[in-house]
């Protein structure tokens, strides 16, 4: 009994450290035991499993999916070996959120993801529901974290206020399909029509000290396209990406981690800048490009991130 408790504490501590290094988040339909079992058996684990009660579940199966996910959480957590378990619940306006939270909030999850958050008031509703269930089930108050989905025009306009609205928020997600639906515009493969929305979310997240996470790549068999999509999001400041297929996890992890070339260049920047500082200079040329203190600091951060992903 004591060993089991120790293992749970150790797992939770590992999970807390992994909030800052989430790259891949894999959706699993909450109404499919077959898909849940497959996710548990994956050899290459994503950084987080997202048992989904929202868009992947028809209205007629919401209740049965809720109970299936609840009953599967122990097995999902055990299979993740320290990774994160973050069910996605329905939106505050759906009429299903409170019952979703009542079912899935246990010691076997690390947070919830919540669809269609349009303003800070929506987060207050989520917080109230979480606090009530935490108290009822004897869980530490505030222990269940939140990843809001920003996926409407109002959500984009309120992105900073949403990111700032709760200490439970560890990351925010961009929902591309719901956003283009709300805007009444077609979704393109290159996503040019979402550039402003993505920039807004990435900046709001960074200013609030939380992670920005990108929408899934829907052409999941096109791995080259996935890589391009990941690198575009990374360039904007996104730190990870959701996935609808396990085959995408490896490329997402590789794309959002520093590449060998980036690590090599960062090491060179650090070495040459520190040598310049010893000589009393505040900048140095590295491969024909000026390097000053902000570039040096960015190189240090990249190596810190590289080290964190290796652990």
């Amino acid at each position: 009994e004591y060993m089991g408790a120790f293992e749970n504490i150790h797992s939770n501590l590992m999970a807390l450290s992994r909030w800052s290094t989430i790259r891949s988040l894999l959706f699993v339909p909450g109404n499919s035991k077959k898909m849940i079992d497959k996710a548990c058996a994956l050899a290459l684990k994503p950084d987080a499993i997202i048992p989904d009660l929202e868009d992947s579940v028809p209205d007629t199966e919401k209740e049965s999916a809720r109970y299936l996910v609840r009953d599967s959480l122990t097995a999902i957590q055990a299979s993740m070996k320290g990774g994160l378990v973050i069910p996605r619940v329905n939106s505050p306006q759906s009429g299903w959120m409170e019952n979703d939270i009542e079912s899935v909030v246990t010691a076997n999850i690390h947070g919830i993801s919540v669809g269609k958050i349009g303003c800070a008031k929506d987060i207050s509703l989520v917080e109230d529901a979480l606090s009530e269930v935490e108290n009822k089930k004897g869980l530490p108050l505030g222990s269940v974290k939140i990843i809001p989905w920003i996926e409407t025009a109002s959500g984009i306009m309120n992105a900073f206020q949403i990111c700032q609205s709760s200490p439970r928020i560890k990351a925010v997600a961009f929902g591309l399909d719901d956003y283009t639906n709300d805007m009444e515009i077609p979704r393109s493969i290159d996503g040019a029509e979402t550039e402003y929305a993505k920039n807004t979310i990435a900046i709001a997240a960074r200013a609030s000290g939380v992670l920005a996470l990108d929408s899934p790549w829907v052409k999941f068999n096109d791995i080259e396209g996935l890589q391009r999509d990941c690198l575009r999001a990374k360039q904007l400041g996104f730190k990870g990406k959701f996935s609808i297929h396990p085959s995408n996890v490896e490329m997402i992890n590789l794309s959002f981690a520093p590449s060998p070339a980036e690590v090599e260049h960062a090491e060179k920047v650090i070495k040459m800048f520190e040598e310049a500082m010893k000589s009393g200079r505040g900048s140095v040329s590295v491969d024909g490009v000026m390097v000053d203190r902000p570039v040096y600091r960015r190189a240090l951060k990249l190596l810190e991130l590289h080290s964190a992903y290796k652990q």
Side-chain angles (χ1 to χ4, degrees):
E1 179 181 348
Y2 290 112
M3 183 58 70
F6 175 79
E7 288 174 351
N8 284 337
I9 292 170
H10 179 66
S11 174
N12 289 337
L13 288 173
M14 287 177 61
L16 285 172
S17 68
R18 295 196 66 179
W19 274 106
S20 61
T21 55
I22 301 175
R23 293 165 294 174
S24 53
L25 304 94
L26 177 64
F27 276 121
V28 183
N31 61 334
S32 173
K33 186 177 187 305
K34 178 181 177 181
M35 297 297 289
I36 291 172
D37 290 343
K38 281 188 173 181
C40 290
L42 288 174
L44 177 61
K45 303 294 183 185
D47 295 330
I49 285 279
I50 316 294
D52 190 23
L53 297 175
E54 200 210 14
D55 286 345
S56 68
V57 178
D59 290 358
T60 55
E61 296 186 29
K62 293 289 188 185
E63 186 172 357
S64 59
R66 187 182 297 142
Y67 298 134
L68 176 58
V69 168
R70 179 197 64 188
D71 295 342
S72 303
L73 287 173
T74 300
I76 294 172
Q77 189 205 39
S79 74
M80 285 297 286
K81 304 184 186 304
L84 301 175
V85 181
I86 311 169
R88 181 166 72 168
V89 302
N90 289 280
S91 71
Q93 296 79 26
S94 67
W96 291 306
M97 183 190 76
E98 290 81 4
N99 286 336
D100 288 348
I101 288 175
E102 171 72 27
S103 291
V104 304
V105 169
T106 69
N108 291 314
I109 73 167
H110 305 97
I112 60 169
S113 173
V114 190
K116 300 173 183 63
I117 298 297
C119 60
K121 185 178 178 181
D122 289 342
I123 295 297
S124 296
L125 297 174
V126 178
E127 280 197 303
D128 289 346
L130 285 174
S131 296
E132 182 178 341
V133 174
E134 286 169 339
N135 282 326
K136 181 178 178 180
K137 297 188 178 183
L139 300 172
L141 190 64
S143 60
V144 179
K145 308 307 178 186
I146 301 173
I147 300 180
W149 280 80
I150 298 178
E151 44 192 346
T152 62
S154 61
I156 298 301
M157 298 306 294
N158 295 321
F160 181 64
Q161 289 83 358
I162 292 169
C163 291
Q164 292 267 320
S165 62
S166 170
R168 292 180 186 262
I169 295 175
K170 292 293 184 180
V172 290
F174 175 54
L176 195 155
D177 279 317
D178 278 301
Y179 170 74
T180 52
N181 177 57
D182 188 53
M183 291 292 293
E184 299 180 353
I185 56 176
R187 171 178 178 166
S188 66
I189 292 301
D190 68 5
E193 69 282 355
T194 66
E195 186 173 338
Y196 173 79
K198 283 191 169 185
N199 274 310
T200 299
I201 289 175
I203 293 168
R206 181 60 187 166
S208 304
V210 303
L211 303 182
L213 303 172
D214 196 20
S215 281
W217 173 247
V218 292
K219 295 181 68 176
F220 54 83
N221 288 321
D222 179 6
I223 302 302
E224 290 184 2
L226 169 65
Q227 183 182 31
R228 290 192 296 272
D229 198 52
C230 288
L231 294 177
R232 279 195 295 264
K234 180 181 177 181
Q235 185 65 23
L236 293 177
F238 283 78
K239 304 303 181 183
K241 190 174 185 67
F242 287 82
S243 171
I244 57 173
H245 198 278
S247 65
N248 290 180
V249 167
E250 182 176 17
M251 181 54 71
I252 290 172
N253 284 345
L254 287 172
S255 297
F256 283 96
S259 68
E262 288 174 322
V263 171
E264 182 180 355
H265 180 70
E267 290 173 340
K268 187 174 184 179
V269 164
I270 292 167
K271 180 176 183 293
M272 294 185 68
F273 184 78
E274 289 180 350
E275 289 175 353
M277 285 195 296
K278 290 176 183 177
S279 302
R281 291 177 289 146
S283 64
V284 66
S285 174
V286 178
D287 298 332
V289 177
M290 188 197 77
V291 169
D292 56 7
R293 189 167 293 277
V295 180
Y296 169 71
R297 287 173 177 164
R298 187 164 66 240
L300 290 173
K301 289 179 181 177
L302 186 142
L303 292 189
E304 288 175 6
L305 190 62
H306 175 63
S307 177
Y309 284 145
K310 287 173 62 179
Q311 291 178 5

